[in-house]
Amino acid sequence: MNSTGRLDSLDVAFTKNFITFAVCFIIIYINGAFVYTYFKNQVFQRDPRYVLYIHLVINGTIMLTVSMTLHIMIYTVPPTFAPCCIMLLILATTNKNSPLNLAGMAVERYIAVCRPLHHVQICTVQRAYALIALIWVVSFIPALVDVFIILVTQPLSVFSRVFICYPSNVYNTPYHKAQTVVVQVLLFSFVFLTLIITYLKVLCAARAVSGSNQASARNARNTILLHGVQLLICMLSFLAPFINLALVSAWPQEITEIVFASFMFTNVLPRLLTPLIYGVRDQKFSSHIRLHFCWKCCSSVEKNVKLMVGRRRRSKQVVH
């Protein structure tokens, strides 16, 4: 665990932080529009599919906010051990939440297509919230184990040190490496098998039915395929340390640029794809967003026009 040091000039550091803040702010604003639309329309809150979807968006927003804060703090006020571990704890938990949430969404689509008569009884809003709570518990335990390993293996003086708050730099013991490999293999094997099985089941159902049911099965199949794409995107953040190591070994003089580019492409930009893949593609959700924001925009324009007309009338009355 080495103390941090600034390898970038002041201009370069400012540019990177400005880009990080600007991109994160735009993504958080877009995610906020979807969250606002969800809570303004009760029709979404009564559907477990949208409950799981909005949890994916909120989870990504939390992860993105903490990542942005941590990235800026490294350049400005490097955190000590305790704040660093708290932020890494949140990041690790939210990072594991995403693939598990995708698995839950895939199972919900499978039940909707292959067990339509039982979908209302099985997939309820209460069970969706219970699944979200279970996802947080399952994701939180490995992240908490990482912190306990540090407390057991490191001296108490570690609390007063300042670190480059990066997971591979803080969690660098052999126990961390073994635990990380086991958890990641189990996690992605479970999610990958869930997506494959549900996709094959829905594919068979799509071939067996006809008419409107076939169209519904086709949509569910395409949705599960998107879950697979999203899973591959989630894997980028787990592969980032290995990608960074390979690139830094090839170009050691470009270490800060490599780490920054890796951070943007594996942590920041994937958070933009979640609302675009699911929210914009979903006709019901996208129509409510257009209706709400277009109505809001038109209302503000109409209000401005009325104010301008009123001012003109008052000015004419004064002249006369």
Side-chain angles (χ1 to χ4, degrees):
M1 296 182 182
N2 300 324
S3 61
T4 184
R6 287 183 175 84
L7 300 178
D8 292 325
S9 64
L10 183 60
D11 293 340
V12 174
F14 175 80
T15 301
K16 289 181 178 179
N17 284 318
F18 178 79
I19 293 173
T20 301
F21 178 81
V23 175
C24 290
F25 180 82
I26 293 172
I27 297 174
I28 291 173
Y29 179 82
I30 295 173
N31 287 349
F34 283 90
V35 174
Y36 181 79
T37 302
Y38 170 83
F39 284 105
K40 287 291 290 184
N41 298 274
Q42 294 186 357
V43 64
F44 296 124
Q45 301 175 35
R46 294 192 292 265
D47 192 332
R49 174 188 177 188
Y50 293 106
V51 172
L52 293 174
Y53 161 71
I54 209 65
H55 171 252
L56 191 66
V57 174
I58 294 174
N59 181 79
T61 303
I62 295 173
M63 179 181 175
L64 186 61
T65 303
V66 177
S67 296
M68 176 187 67
T69 304
L70 182 59
H71 184 271
I72 294 175
M73 286 181 65
I74 290 176
Y75 281 93
T76 55
V77 185
T80 55
F81 176 79
C84 175
C85 280
I86 292 174
M87 287 187 284
L88 291 182
L89 185 69
I90 298 173
L91 287 176
T93 303
T94 53
N95 206 5
K96 294 180 178 65
N97 282 346
S98 295
L100 291 174
N101 199 100
L102 292 172
M105 294 171 70
V107 171
E108 187 276 332
R109 287 293 85 198
Y110 157 75
I111 296 174
V113 174
C114 299
R115 299 288 187 272
L117 299 179
H118 303 283
H119 181 263
V120 178
Q121 291 78 19
I122 298 175
C123 299
T124 63
V125 174
Q126 290 75 16
R127 290 185 176 179
Y129 285 126
L131 177 61
I132 291 172
L134 179 62
I135 288 173
W136 276 89
V137 171
V138 171
S139 301
F140 181 73
I141 291 175
L144 192 61
V145 170
D146 282 333
V147 177
F148 280 142
I149 293 175
I150 287 290
L151 295 177
V152 172
T153 59
Q154 299 295 329
L156 293 179
S157 59
V158 73
F159 287 95
S160 61
R161 296 181 187 175
V162 176
F163 301 100
I164 298 177
C165 195
Y166 193 72
S168 61
N169 187 50
V170 178
Y171 303 144
N172 57 1
T173 66
Y175 305 102
H176 286 112
K177 295 178 182 178
Q179 190 252 16
T180 300
V181 171
V182 172
V183 171
Q184 289 182 6
V185 169
L186 291 177
L187 173 66
F188 282 100
S189 297
F190 168 75
V191 176
F192 181 76
L193 289 176
T194 301
L195 293 178
I196 290 295
I197 293 173
T198 52
Y199 176 78
L200 293 177
K201 292 284 187 179
V202 171
L203 182 62
C204 294
R207 293 179 177 177
V209 298
S210 59
S212 60
N213 290 334
Q214 188 176 22
S216 176
R218 189 183 306 111
N219 290 334
R221 182 192 63 192
N222 294 337
T223 300
I224 295 175
L225 272 180
L226 289 177
H227 293 341
V229 173
Q230 188 72 0
L231 177 64
L232 293 177
I233 295 173
C234 291
M235 289 182 65
L236 288 177
S237 59
F238 292 100
L239 297 176
F242 305 101
I243 297 174
N244 292 346
L245 181 61
L247 294 177
V248 169
S249 299
W251 297 282
Q253 68 279 6
E254 305 293 339
I255 180 172
T256 57
E257 283 72 17
I258 291 173
V259 173
F260 176 72
S262 174
F263 168 73
M264 294 297 295
F265 283 100
T266 62
N267 288 279
V268 176
L269 294 181
R271 307 283 82 77
L272 175 63
L273 297 179
T274 297
L276 295 181
I277 287 177
Y278 300 110
V280 176
R281 179 177 174 271
D282 189 278
Q283 295 181 355
K284 183 188 295 186
F285 216 107
S286 60
S287 64
H288 276 79
I289 287 180
R290 288 195 301 268
L291 179 64
H292 174 73
F293 285 96
C294 289
W295 176 83
K296 192 173 182 180
C297 181
C298 293
S299 297
S300 62
V301 171
E302 183 180 356
K303 186 182 296 184
N304 291 333
V305 171
K306 289 182 179 179
L307 288 175
M308 291 176 63
V309 172
R311 290 173 181 173
R312 289 180 180 178
R313 288 178 179 176
R314 286 194 297 270
S315 62
K316 288 181 180 179
Q317 292 174 358
V318 172
V319 172
H320 293 293

